[in-house]
Amino acid sequence: MPLKRWIGPGKDDVAPALAAACGCGTLAARILCARGIATPEEARAFLQPGEELHDPFLMADMDKAVAAIEEAMAAGKLIVVYGDYDCDGITSTVLLYRYLEERGASVAYYIPDREEEGYGLNRDACRTLRENGAGLVITVDNGVTAFEEIAYLGALGVQVVVTDHHQPQPSLPEALAVVNPHRADCPYPFKELAGVGVAFKLVCALEGDSEGSDTLARWADLVCIGTIADIVSLTGENRTIASAGLQKLQESENPGLLALLAAAGLAGRPLAAQSVSFGLAPRLNAASRMGCCEKSVDLMLCDDPAEAARLAAEIDQANSRRKEIENRILADIGVQLSGCPALLEDRLLLLWGEGWHRGVIGIAAAKLVERYGKPVLLFGIEKGSAQGSARSIPGFSIIEALRASAPLMEKLGGHPLAAGMTLPAERLPELRRQLNDWAKAHHPVMPQPLLRLDAALAPGELELRQIEELLRLEPFGAGNEPPVLLLPAVKLTGIESIGNGKHLRIRFLFGGKNYAAVWFGMTPERLPYRTGDPVDLAASLSLDEYAGQKRLSIQIRDARPCRFDQEAYFSDLTRCMRLRRGEELESAEAEAMIPQREQIATLYRAIRAGEALPDETEYFFLRFGGKGFGFAQAEVALCALREAGLIGNQEGCLRVIPAAGKADLEKTEAIRVLRARAGGQAAPLSGKE
């Protein structure tokens, strides 16, 4: 697993003055400084409970949208809210449907099936809506690029109002109104609303609530869930929406939401944005991924507690099934990569499988991005058609890369960090080749995954009272991430497996005091550190409350050996990847990569000792790299030992293979190739893992 590049923390010279001017703690002020908030005016604006909401009529076409909807209601026309199957689209649909129903409108809703229909308007659905008497269709969280479908509805005699937050094209569809803050001609001052945020603004306009406060008090819970789930920036109006919504969720009397909170284990507990991100949103999304999106809508429209509990239980079961399918896909991928580890040398990882669930591959791709630190594209194949989902890392626009291969594809859409596409399955090898060629041309050195540190803590600052100050910076989410703090030079005192072996509890000594932290997704076998090691920890901090008592909660995000030289590591990593791909190296670079015999012996003895050690160069480098060798030397040493038949992979771990006689490592191709390149010759490295 490639290591993340740690960025920061930066200068925070103005933090004491900022804290004094705003009445916040010094630690909170230091984090504000790290995020570019350096004046008292900026800090006070950020720390206020909520800013004023903008007048909805500042949005282009909002007046036309309101006029069209009011006219349709007055005429008794059937209004259909046409939504989307993700959490943003679902909450948008429920919000507008419930509001229009309360206004006495003749109203229905339609959400396309993820598997059968895909995203947005489609001609079959348009025809069905007309046959069922629709007079006006209002899109929520979609529609801004549905030119043909909206024209088709018009030809059928159905009027359309579009509300959306996705990027429009230079021209707009021919609807009665297109409400989207991203329109080039839209003067609305805040552009980062989610789809449910735009739908909320439409409700404000229909209510004549220019300030929005009364309407937000009524609908904040729904708007909050969709906003947080869609990972839009929690700044500006979104920060106001999220703050109000989290408070309303804790006081909710909605049977559906109460049942969902109970199913997620959140009933009666303090709620933060992460409660939505990791508790509520995955369950609502899982229902649509597993083909029962209507259950999520029904749940949030439900007024009967018993029925709500039944629906919430079904949604929770769908989420469990989603996890099982995700684990099976990841297991299939593990088998593929074991059989062809050279795939991991590609700049982008592109994999496919028969029957991989199209509603789940996006989640699996995101996990692989975290694991391998590179863009990942996964495709489920059915009847010769490959439907894919891509996830990327900051600095590499996956949609730009895919657009360069657009002739291969039948459908394509997305943004820099995520995309979806469909193409014939036989074109996948060519797509893999073209994407990696594009990446090589545009990113000779691939962007590295980053971890931004907000502040470095002194021992006395890791205290409950200091952490309580961080609560003033909530809600945390996109654009206002939970702070990541550096705990330098801690001493590990205990390592304990928890969660059925899936996670770790780490105990450590910091400034003479003992602390415990959780490291999710880390196992004892993969941890390259031992009790007694001095390490630097990157951690997120929060407060847990149990039986009325507040406790400090520490979640480890990453760890490094003290005095870790990350520039040397990333230089070595880049050289190793170039070597694996057969790309050129300077002679001095090649010479520096050749390990000394004692360095090879160090690694061999560690493997021979009998302990199960993961087959990952990063592991050996972090655990034994302090013994005088760098990452590249560890990589070449392990490669040479494998090639010489002295070590091998057994169930993911490296083991010594008994050998007759003495192996000459100088004769291995791993060493000979580097010797040749150090002498000015060029030859591709073979004998890959």
Side-chain angles (χ1 to χ4, degrees):
M1 179 188 299
L3 305 180
K4 291 183 174 68
R5 179 183 285 276
W6 289 12
I7 304 296
K11 294 182 178 180
D12 53 13
D13 300 347
V14 301
L18 200 65
C22 300
C24 66
T26 303
L27 180 57
R30 289 165 63 194
I31 292 169
L32 290 174
C33 290
R35 299 181 176 194
I37 299 173
T39 69
E41 293 75 21
E42 292 172 330
R44 280 192 286 266
F46 184 87
L47 293 169
Q48 286 172 354
E51 66 173 33
E52 292 184 1
L53 300 173
H54 303 298
D55 187 337
F57 285 100
L58 292 175
M59 233 177 254
D61 276 8
M62 183 64 83
D63 54 343
K64 297 177 183 178
V66 169
I69 295 167
E70 293 287 359
E71 181 181 334
M73 285 194 291
K77 292 182 180 179
L78 174 62
I79 301 173
V80 177
V81 181
Y82 194 103
D84 184 31
Y85 42 70
D86 70 0
C87 196
D88 186 18
I90 291 168
T91 51
S92 301
T93 301
V94 172
L95 167 65
L96 193 53
Y97 173 85
R98 182 68 93 183
Y99 171 76
L100 292 173
E101 183 183 53
E102 290 183 359
R103 286 281 306 271
S106 174
V107 61
Y109 68 83
Y110 187 95
I111 296 180
D113 183 89
R114 177 190 289 267
E115 297 294 320
E116 300 298 326
E117 299 174 88
Y119 170 78
L121 290 163
N122 64 83
R123 289 177 72 92
D124 288 344
C126 292
R127 185 167 54 252
T128 299
L129 295 180
R130 181 66 189 96
E131 290 171 353
N132 284 279
L136 174 66
V137 170
I138 308 173
T139 71
V140 289
D141 195 31
N142 73 98
V144 76
T145 59
F147 294 90
E148 294 181 6
E149 293 80 5
I150 289 173
Y152 181 58
L153 280 170
L156 294 175
V158 181
Q159 298 176 320
V160 181
V161 167
V162 172
T163 74
D164 201 351
H165 74 124
H166 295 98
Q167 289 291 336
Q169 297 181 14
S171 59
L172 298 172
E174 294 184 2
L176 292 178
V178 178
V179 181
N180 185 329
H182 291 290
R183 282 179 52 167
D185 62 342
C186 182
Y188 196 76
F190 185 70
K191 305 295 186 182
E192 302 303 319
L193 291 169
V196 71
V198 180
F200 164 70
K201 286 295 176 178
L202 174 60
V203 171
C204 290
L206 287 165
E207 278 290 280
D209 183 8
S210 60
E211 295 182 355
S213 55
D214 292 340
T215 307
L216 183 61
R218 171 71 177 85
W219 303 104
D221 45 9
L222 283 176
V223 190
C224 161
I225 292 172
T227 295
I228 293 173
D230 213 50
I231 320 180
V232 292
S233 176
L234 290 189
T235 56
E237 284 190 307
N238 287 339
R239 182 170 167 81
T240 301
I241 287 168
S243 297
L246 290 170
Q247 182 63 38
K248 185 171 178 61
L249 273 172
Q250 294 184 146
E251 304 164 352
S252 179
E253 297 179 357
N254 181 304
L257 290 178
L258 287 173
L260 186 63
L261 287 166
L266 297 170
R269 296 175 57 183
L271 300 179
Q274 286 71 27
S275 308
V276 173
S277 299
F278 299 108
L280 306 185
R283 286 168 170 79
L284 294 174
N285 281 329
S288 69
R289 294 181 192 280
M290 304 311 297
C292 49
C293 178
E294 69 281 355
K295 293 188 186 298
S296 292
V297 180
D298 292 344
L299 174 65
M300 286 189 285
L301 292 173
C302 184
D303 293 321
D304 177 57
E307 176 67 6
R310 184 187 68 80
L311 287 168
E314 291 184 5
I315 288 172
D316 198 48
Q317 290 169 5
N319 192 44
S320 296
R321 291 197 304 275
R322 186 269 303 168
K323 291 179 181 178
E324 292 172 2
I325 292 171
E326 176 190 330
N327 289 335
R328 286 201 297 269
I329 292 173
L330 291 172
D332 286 350
I333 289 169
V335 172
Q336 283 193 28
L337 294 177
S338 295
C340 189
L343 288 171
L344 289 173
E345 298 169 13
D346 287 348
R347 284 176 165 81
L348 299 91
L349 183 60
L350 190 154
L351 302 167
W352 60 84
E354 289 282 351
W356 285 359
H357 198 293
R358 292 178 293 178
V360 179
I361 53 177
I363 302 174
K367 290 198 171 181
L368 293 176
V369 169
E370 181 68 20
R371 182 179 303 173
Y372 296 115
K374 64 176 67 181
V376 175
L377 301 90
L378 299 182
F379 291 84
I381 299 176
E382 188 174 340
K383 297 179 180 179
S385 177
Q387 184 168 319
S389 188
R391 298 293 185 271
S392 191
I393 60 176
F396 188 97
S397 174
I398 192 64
I399 190 63
E400 187 179 352
L402 285 164
R403 282 172 180 158
S405 295
L408 294 176
M409 284 172 274
E410 297 170 345
K411 292 182 180 179
L412 173 63
H415 53 78
L417 292 180
M421 70 296 299
T422 303
L423 70 160
E426 68 265 15
R427 297 179 185 173
L428 287 171
E430 177 62 15
L431 178 62
R432 175 190 279 160
R433 185 192 67 78
Q434 289 190 15
L435 287 174
N436 277 285
D437 285 349
W438 187 92
K440 180 179 179 181
H442 291 81
H443 296 276
V445 176
M446 286 289 288
Q448 297 144 353
L450 306 177
L451 182 64
R452 298 190 179 277
L453 304 177
D454 291 284
L457 293 189
E461 292 181 299
L462 191 53
E463 300 293 344
L464 200 62
R465 59 180 180 80
Q466 287 279 3
I467 307 311
E468 285 180 317
E469 283 290 333
L470 300 184
L471 299 180
R472 295 191 61 186
L473 307 181
E474 290 190 348
F476 296 123
N480 184 39
E481 303 288 345
V484 179
L485 304 172
L486 173 63
L487 310 181
V490 310
K491 182 180 180 181
L492 301 185
T493 58
I495 300 168
E496 176 187 356
S497 177
I498 59 174
N500 295 320
K502 296 179 180 179
H503 315 294
L504 286 185
R505 179 177 289 112
I506 302 289
R507 301 187 187 281
F508 62 92
L509 193 65
F510 185 44
K513 292 187 178 181
N514 289 297
Y515 299 91
V518 175
W519 195 341
F520 292 110
M522 179 56 71
T523 63
E525 298 77 20
R526 292 176 49 240
L527 184 72
Y529 311 112
R530 295 293 178 267
T531 299
D533 286 351
V535 298
D536 294 336
L537 296 181
S540 294
L541 310 178
S542 59
L543 295 179
D544 280 343
E545 191 167 338
Y546 181 75
Q549 296 293 316
K550 292 181 179 180
R551 299 179 299 182
L552 175 63
S553 175
I554 305 173
Q555 179 181 336
I556 297 174
R557 302 285 298 278
D558 203 357
R560 295 278 180 82
C562 290
R563 297 176 294 280
F564 178 75
D565 188 345
Q566 71 173 0
E567 295 307 321
Y569 164 77
F570 284 112
S571 294
D572 270 5
L573 179 64
T574 299
R575 294 187 189 107
C576 287
M577 296 310 297
R578 285 161 53 197
L579 183 65
R580 289 183 178 187
R581 299 179 188 124
E583 298 170 4
E584 292 186 4
L585 283 174
E586 297 291 336
S587 60
E589 292 179 307
E591 181 67 34
M593 294 175 69
I594 300 173
Q596 302 299 310
R597 181 168 294 276
E598 182 54 36
Q599 294 168 342
I600 299 176
T602 297
L603 296 182
Y604 180 77
R605 285 193 294 266
I607 299 167
R608 189 179 59 187
E611 185 180 356
L613 302 179
D615 191 358
E616 297 178 359
T617 303
E618 281 79 9
Y619 178 93
F620 283 87
F621 169 61
L622 291 174
R623 183 162 177 189
F624 304 108
K627 300 183 184 297
F629 56 86
F631 176 82
Q633 291 170 317
E635 168 89 355
V636 176
L638 292 173
C639 189
L641 287 169
R642 287 191 193 91
E643 190 184 340
L646 297 175
I647 62 173
N649 186 305
Q650 295 181 7
E651 299 180 348
C653 295
L654 285 179
R655 301 286 189 182
V656 165
I657 299 174
K662 188 174 182 180
D664 186 354
L665 296 180
E666 279 293 331
K667 292 183 178 180
T668 62
E669 192 170 0
I671 301 296
R672 287 192 298 106
V673 165
L674 283 172
R675 294 277 187 222
R677 292 194 175 194
Q681 302 178 42
L685 175 64
S686 60
K688 298 172 184 174
E689 296 179 25

